[in-house]
Amino acid sequence: MRHTLLVLKETKKIAIVTIISLLVGMVALGSTYIIGKKLFQSSLTLKEKVRIVVFFKQNLNGADVESTISTINAIDGVKSVTLTTPDQAKEEFIKIFPQYQGILTSLGKNPLPYSATVELNDISLGKRITDIIKDLQTVDVVVFSQDTANKINNLINVIYLIFTSVMLAVLVEFIFTVQNTTTLLLDYRRNDIRVLKLIGADAVFTFLPFLLIVVFLNLVAWGISYYLIEKVNELSSGIVQGIIPYATISGNINFNMLLFVLLIFSIVSSLIGSIISILRFRNVK
C-alpha cells in the first residue's frame, strides 16, 4: 500500500490526465445510455400510436360491416380492430369541430360513414396490411402514415447503433488510456521493479500496486461522474421531448444500478489495459 501511494504521489500529472480521460468516457457512456433508453422507450409509445384508419363505403348495413371487421381481424399482423359507428363518429367530430354542429344537424342525415381503427403487431407490416384492406369491396378509404412508421423504425435502429458504437469506443478508450498510463508508470518505476526482483519479490508484490492505482483512479473518476450523469438524467426528458415531441416520455432509469454497472465496466476494461502493459514488463531486467 505504501508503495502504491508513493507511485501516485510521484506521478500526479499522469494520474490527473487518466482520471479526466476515464471521466469523459464514463459520462459519455452513461449519458448515451440514459438518453438512448428514454428515446427507445418513448419511440415505442409513439409506435403504439400509429394506426391504420379504415373508412367504409356509405349506406352499408351492419352485417356487411361486421363481416369486414372479421376479415380485417383475420389478417396476419393485425392486433385488434375497433369499430366506430356513424353516430360515434359524429359525436367525436362535433367534439373536435363544435362550430360545424349546426351544419351537421341541418343535413338531417348523418353523412359520416362507419370507420375502424386497426392496431398492428408490427408497424413495419402496415403497408402490406393497408394494401390488403384497400382491396375489400366494402372499404372506401384507408389511411396509414408509412412515412411516420419508417421514421420510428429508423430512429430505434439509430439508437441501437449509437449506443453500441459509444460503448465500443469507450471500451477501447479505457483500455488504451490505462494501458498507456500503466506503461508510463512502469517505465517510471523501472529501476524499482529491477530492485524488487533482485531481492526476490514475487510478481504479485511487484505489480499489484499498479493494479491498485488503476482501481483508485477509476473510483475517483466514477465519483466525479456521479454528479455529471445525475445532471444529464435530470435534463434527459427535455432532450428526448425535443427530439420526439409527440411521444410519451418514459423515465424508467435505475440510476444506481446504471452507475454500478458503469463502475464495473470501467474497472474491468481498465484492468485489461493495465494487465497488457504489466505483461510486457514482467521480464524486465
Side-chain angles (χ1 to χ4, degrees):
M1 186 61 69
R2 182 174 176 275
H3 183 43
T4 302
L5 294 174
L6 182 62
V7 174
L8 270 175
K9 183 179 179 181
E10 294 178 353
T11 55
K12 292 190 290 291
K13 290 183 180 179
I14 296 174
I16 291 172
V17 171
T18 304
I19 288 172
I20 293 173
S21 298
L22 293 172
L23 175 63
V24 170
M26 290 180 187
V27 173
L29 186 57
S31 301
T32 303
Y33 175 80
I34 290 171
I35 295 175
K37 184 171 183 180
K38 287 191 176 183
L39 274 172
F40 177 73
Q41 291 175 332
S42 302
S43 297
L44 292 181
T45 65
L46 186 60
K47 194 173 182 179
E48 291 172 356
K49 296 177 183 178
V50 178
R51 304 282 193 273
I52 296 175
V53 180
V54 181
F55 295 95
F56 296 97
K57 292 180 179 178
Q58 289 281 5
N59 303 321
L60 287 180
N61 58 51
D64 289 335
V65 173
E66 289 297 331
S67 176
T68 306
I69 293 295
S70 298
T71 301
I72 296 174
N73 250 322
I75 299 174
D76 183 39
V78 172
K79 185 175 182 180
S80 65
V81 183
T82 303
L83 177 66
T84 301
T85 65
D87 289 336
Q88 291 172 330
K90 180 179 178 181
E91 184 178 336
E92 290 297 320
F93 184 86
I94 292 173
K95 285 181 183 178
I96 300 172
F97 305 105
Q99 64 270 31
Y100 297 116
Q101 182 173 2
I103 296 175
L104 285 177
T105 302
S106 64
L107 291 174
K109 179 183 178 182
N110 187 354
L112 300 175
Y114 281 96
S115 62
T117 302
V118 182
E119 185 177 353
L120 308 174
N121 288 318
D122 185 346
I123 61 173
S124 63
L125 303 174
K127 181 64 168 59
R128 177 182 66 81
I129 294 173
T130 298
D131 291 339
I132 294 173
I133 295 174
K134 283 179 179 178
D135 292 335
L136 299 177
Q137 295 297 317
T138 53
V139 171
D140 186 17
V141 178
V142 182
V143 179
F144 175 69
S145 179
Q146 180 67 32
D147 184 55
T148 300
N150 290 339
K151 285 181 178 178
I152 295 172
N153 278 331
N154 290 338
L155 177 60
I156 292 173
N157 292 333
V158 168
I159 292 169
Y160 277 122
L161 178 62
I162 290 176
F163 178 72
T164 302
S165 300
V166 171
M167 184 175 67
L168 292 175
V170 171
L171 175 64
V172 172
E173 183 211 352
F174 283 175
I175 293 175
F176 180 77
T177 298
V178 175
Q179 181 184 346
N180 286 338
T181 298
T182 307
T183 299
L184 288 172
L185 293 175
L186 288 167
D187 193 54
Y188 182 79
R189 306 291 295 184
R190 185 185 291 267
N191 289 332
D192 293 334
I193 294 173
R194 289 195 183 103
V195 171
L196 288 171
K197 285 198 169 187
L198 286 174
I199 63 176
D202 60 15
V204 174
F205 183 83
T206 303
F207 296 111
L208 181 60
F210 299 95
L211 296 178
L212 293 176
I213 288 172
V214 168
V215 175
F216 174 77
L217 296 179
N218 270 277
L219 287 171
V220 173
W222 178 77
I224 299 172
S225 72
Y226 180 96
Y227 299 99
L228 297 176
I229 297 174
E230 186 177 41
K231 190 64 177 177
V232 171
N233 189 39
E234 292 173 1
L235 299 173
S236 59
S237 294
I239 296 172
V240 173
Q241 190 73 64
I243 297 173
I244 42 177
Y246 300 109
T248 301
I249 306 300
S250 299
N252 299 324
I253 302 293
N254 189 330
F255 189 68
N256 291 328
M257 179 58 70
L258 167 63
L259 288 174
F260 175 75
V261 172
L262 190 61
L263 176 62
I264 298 301
F265 176 84
S266 64
I267 289 178
V268 170
S269 56
S270 296
L271 287 175
I272 291 172
S274 185
I275 290 171
I276 291 173
S277 292
I278 289 173
L279 290 175
R280 293 175 180 175
F281 277 79
R282 69 184 184 277
N283 296 321
V284 67
K285 295 179 180 178

